[in-house]
Amino acid sequence: MSRLLSGVGAAHVLTGRRRGLGRAALAALLVMVTPAAAAASDLGATVSSSAPAAAPAATIGDDVIGDLTSSHGLTVSEVDRVDERLVRLTVASQELARPVRLTLLLPQGYTATTRRYPTLYLLHGTSGGADDWVQQGEAEDITAGFPMIVVMPDGGYDSNGGGWWTDWVDQDTALGVANWETFHIEQLVPWVDAHLRTRARRSQRAIAGLSQGGFGAMSYASRHPDLFVSAASFSGAPDIAKAPQARTLGAAVVGAIMTGLNGVQPHAPFGDPVLDAVNWQGHNPADLVGNLRRMDLRLWVGDGTNGPYEDTADPRYASPDPIEAIVHESTLLFAEAADAAGVPYVLDDYGPGRHRWPYWARDLAQYLPRLAEVFRQDRSVPERIDYRSIDRRYSTWGWRVRTRREPPQAFSGLVRASREGFVFLAGPAVVRTPPSYRPLTTYRLRVQGERTRARSDARGRLRVAVSGGRSVVRVQGRLPG
């Protein structure tokens, strides 16, 4: 039976539901990600076909979808307009070692109007690729009635184990350069907004994914909450580093995929789970759950037992699915972290169900009506924001932070940041505000109880230096003259 749980306050229910994950499940996972077994596993996706041959232009008859040319760090080498809605591209980037695939689903009637549309970034799972949601997940049919652009990028090379949606700590593996987050967030998102008729603002952009892509969707959303209004995980792993169980599971799963499917050292994406623990935490949705406070959050997961899409006479389904059991544990741990932080979410812990495409297609079909409603709301930017990061330099919601500290990775963050001021945790740092003030005007400030002043720049931004620990900054008003 499906149980739809809304946080906050569901943690005690979820805890009662949890089943412990034993060594047998982890052992089964390790077997499934060896090269010999990879093709038969349900690790998140089936192997996609190779990139299609290029078409002369992105047209069918007299219909032209746009100028899908190189820009924003992406070099477009192939464009294949398959039908009215489906477009396949091959793109290259200096952030990646080789060209990768990009699949687009356009809304019905896209070429017949000048209308602009919201965008859903839809991520694949382990051993998958850009075409998986179309070939395996019925995405073209499921999205047909929804006025949105769907963007499905590769998250790994040649349908290998996947890049875990991060810039790798180890860039010297046999796979070469692997800056997946930079490619997706800093290059692909602006490229899409520049070349397709999107509504290029946060309230009109969402991200979702299955399995490893479920982790990726929640990780990107938690690290870039100013880009996405909604995030969804379908049998994902949104906690790989916060809870003790999650750390064990995360290290085992990531390590098995790296060695068994990618042929690289087990800690290539995030570093050593102990020595580089802060890097794991800084990309882990459960550790960054406070960043998701003003986002529409949806999670679906089964318990690994046979559900409505399994033939119990099939010997492949004689035992519970260890991978769905693992992501079930991870999802419930994320829900507990969200409850503890007071962050709302909706979790469909639907019980019987394995790590298979029929469930993810069903999840997507259930998600889209809610997402369409969120897009219609066109939510405004929050007046106050909270944000934490491990990065030495970061920007979010128009705020920019440059820390001055050692080591290079450590948590810092903004609390209740608004036009009236902010609290900064774990300085020293220089904080630049959004353009919220009168340009070239001097303002009175109180920093840690001491009176001072700062002059806004030509765009109306203030620059404030803060010391270590907890710094309270209040903007008290502008000075005359």
Side-chain angles (χ1 to χ4, degrees):
M1 177 183 294
S2 175
R3 300 198 314 153
L4 196 64
L5 303 173
S6 297
V8 181
H12 66 285
V13 179
L14 299 172
T15 303
R17 170 100 186 209
R18 181 176 301 117
R19 297 179 175 88
L21 189 69
R23 293 183 179 180
L26 284 176
L29 171 69
L30 295 173
V31 170
M32 292 180 76
V33 298
T34 58
S41 72
D42 272 337
L43 274 172
T46 57
V47 176
S48 297
S49 62
S50 58
T59 64
I60 288 184
D62 295 328
D63 290 338
V64 181
I65 64 170
D67 183 21
L68 303 182
T69 54
S70 304
S71 70
H72 295 83
L74 299 188
T75 300
V76 179
S77 60
E78 298 180 2
V79 179
D80 182 10
R81 177 80 183 273
V82 179
D83 58 36
E84 180 187 6
R85 298 186 58 220
L86 180 61
V87 183
R88 295 188 177 107
L89 301 92
T90 301
V91 301
S93 165
Q94 290 186 349
E95 302 297 335
L96 302 176
R98 67 196 73 172
V100 294
R101 298 160 298 185
L102 173 63
T103 300
L104 306 175
L105 278 174
L106 304 175
Q108 291 176 327
Y110 182 88
T111 58
T113 179
T114 59
R115 177 181 177 182
R116 291 188 172 271
Y117 297 89
T119 309
L120 169 63
Y121 288 81
L122 191 56
L123 310 183
H124 63 78
T126 302
S127 297
D131 253 1
D132 282 19
W133 272 104
V134 172
Q135 294 182 345
Q136 305 292 328
E138 306 175 25
E140 192 164 7
D141 290 337
I142 292 171
T143 63
F146 293 92
M148 61 185 71
I149 297 168
V150 183
V151 180
M152 296 162 284
D154 269 349
Y157 297 125
D158 305 318
S159 297
N160 66 2
W164 278 93
W165 314 95
T166 186
D167 292 357
W168 283 20
V169 168
D170 187 353
Q171 297 283 332
D172 296 321
T173 72
L175 293 177
V177 178
N179 290 321
W180 293 102
E181 182 177 10
T182 299
F183 165 65
H184 291 128
I185 297 298
E186 297 185 16
Q187 296 181 328
L188 179 60
V189 170
W191 183 90
V192 167
D193 286 338
H195 294 273
L196 295 170
R197 294 200 311 276
T198 67
R199 296 174 183 167
R201 55 187 183 272
R202 187 243 188 190
S203 66
Q204 302 295 297
R205 191 184 295 117
I207 189 166
L210 69 94
S211 194
Q212 188 185 132
F215 165 85
M218 301 299 280
S219 181
Y220 283 174
S222 62
R223 285 175 57 80
H224 307 280
D226 55 337
L227 287 183
F228 305 103
V229 71
S230 179
S233 169
F234 312 138
S235 297
D239 188 2
I240 63 170
K242 183 175 176 62
Q245 310 97 295
R247 290 195 291 271
T248 300
L249 294 173
V253 171
V254 174
I257 289 172
M258 288 300 113
T259 56
L261 296 177
N262 288 351
V264 300
Q265 62 98 347
H267 308 318
F270 301 109
D272 184 274
V274 176
L275 299 178
D276 299 305
V278 69
N279 192 57
W280 285 73
Q281 296 161 2
H283 293 81
N284 184 44
D287 281 287
L288 300 174
V289 69
N291 294 353
L292 297 168
R293 189 175 309 280
R294 293 168 179 85
M295 195 174 298
D296 176 71
L297 299 178
R298 307 269 157 170
L299 304 99
W300 283 260
V301 72
D303 62 15
T305 61
N306 291 333
Y309 299 109
E310 279 76 51
D311 177 2
T312 56
D314 190 325
R316 292 179 299 172
Y317 307 134
S319 300
D321 187 330
I323 300 172
E324 192 68 16
I326 287 172
V327 298
H328 185 261
E329 180 85 355
S330 178
T331 299
L332 300 192
L333 291 170
F334 172 85
E336 287 189 352
D339 281 332
V343 173
Y345 63 91
V346 175
L347 165 62
D348 190 347
D349 182 9
Y350 52 77
R354 302 177 71 92
H355 209 65
R356 298 182 59 230
W357 274 106
Y359 297 97
W360 305 324
R362 185 183 69 181
D363 298 344
L364 179 63
Q366 293 176 355
Y367 175 54
L368 289 180
R370 171 58 184 169
L371 177 60
E373 175 58 29
V374 172
F375 283 151
R376 282 193 292 270
Q377 293 170 4
D378 200 14
R379 299 182 179 184
S380 60
V381 174
E383 293 183 2
R384 296 179 182 272
I385 66 105
D386 299 318
Y387 183 80
R388 51 195 307 257
S389 173
I390 62 165
D391 298 333
R392 174 168 281 181
R393 298 182 180 184
Y394 52 90
S395 59
T396 185
W397 302 105
W399 295 79
R400 177 171 292 182
V401 173
R402 295 188 178 187
T403 64
R404 297 173 173 174
R405 50 116 200 272
E406 294 293 341
Q409 284 187 319
F411 274 107
S412 68
L414 294 160
V415 179
R416 299 189 300 276
S418 71
R419 190 180 186 280
E420 286 72 41
F422 59 91
V423 177
F424 188 79
L425 302 178
V430 175
V431 179
R432 193 189 70 189
T433 73
S436 303
Y437 308 95
R438 179 177 293 184
L440 304 177
T441 302
T442 301
Y443 284 81
R444 297 190 303 270
L445 276 66
R446 187 175 289 271
V447 181
Q448 288 298 80
E450 298 292 330
R451 293 179 179 177
T452 185
R453 60 182 59 187
R455 184 172 175 81
S456 59
D457 64 14
R459 294 183 57 188
R461 302 172 298 187
L462 296 177
R463 184 176 179 271
V464 184
V466 295
S467 58
R470 183 177 186 272
S471 299
V472 180
V473 177
R474 293 287 177 259
V475 181
Q476 297 183 311
R478 61 186 178 90
L479 294 173

